[in-house]
Amino acid sequence: MSRKPLIAGNWKMNGTLESGGALAQAVADGAADAACDLLVCPPAQLLYPIGRALAGTPVQLGAQDCHAEEKGAHTGDIAAPMLSDIGCSHVIVGHSERRENHGETDGTVRAKAEAAHRAGLIAAICLGETEAIRDAGKTNSFIIGQLDGSVPEGSTAANTVIAYEPVWAIGTGRTPTPAEANEVHALIRSHLSDRLGADECAKLRILYGGSMKPGNAAELLAQPDIDGGLIGGAALKAEDFLAIAAAAKG
Ligand code: PGA
């Protein structure tokens, strides 16, 4: 089963109209050469202008979070239908920084993913173990718990991507070896196959995230169960982001 790789940039809380606009433009300018799908996830205030700028290009637009409800008294939050209204195709849910900084549980993440699905968005559901869990040899059972808690019934290869992001690798310059990362990806695919069906999971894209850079992308992306990347720091430089995209062969 060949899965077209997805290279996604998570800009986190970075970028102004000027700098974000220039970054998106530079990504769009390099997109024609890419053999993978490209997605940028700017901070909320840039979604609309960058969406306008990317219209007609192959680069897709994603948000970094959404609320589980469709509207109402939730100061500061953005609902999933609002994101599809302004042209988003994807929304990241359950990033470890949201889980950590905003107390999001697996249940919260699952409700947000369900909201994304209802709004016609592709949910990029993030999960990954901390260093303490890894050191305790509990990575697999922890990941299975996160999958069971965070991934809704009704998830398909068309409405969901999974991002495996070991917390200890995010922003640290450290990564698992490609084989270690692939082992977790394979576990994710086989565990979800039991719930969502083997055919669906053969098509499901599972991204790796955590210090993916131009220098290590090719060997990570060459692994059979690694279908792309969720890129933080290296997504803030178009040159690096496009170099990672170039390492993703279709
Ligand atoms: P990083 O972040 O590439 O800077 O490690 C990845 C992420 O948090 O999505």
Side-chain angles (χ1 to χ4, degrees), residues 10 12 95-97 165 169-173 209-213 230-234:
N10 173 12
K12 308 192 180 183
H95 190 281
S96 62
E97 289 152 13
E165 301 203 299
I170 294 177
T172 59
S211 297
M212 191 184 270
K213 311 275 180 211
L230 181 56
I231 322 296

Side-chain angles (χ1 to χ4, degrees), residues 123-125 127 147 151 160-164 188 192 204-207:
I125 304 174
L127 40 89
L147 287 170
V151 178
T160 301
V161 301
I162 304 292
Y164 169 57
I188 292 170
L192 285 178
L204 180 74
R205 292 191 286 195
I206 305 175
L207 314 184

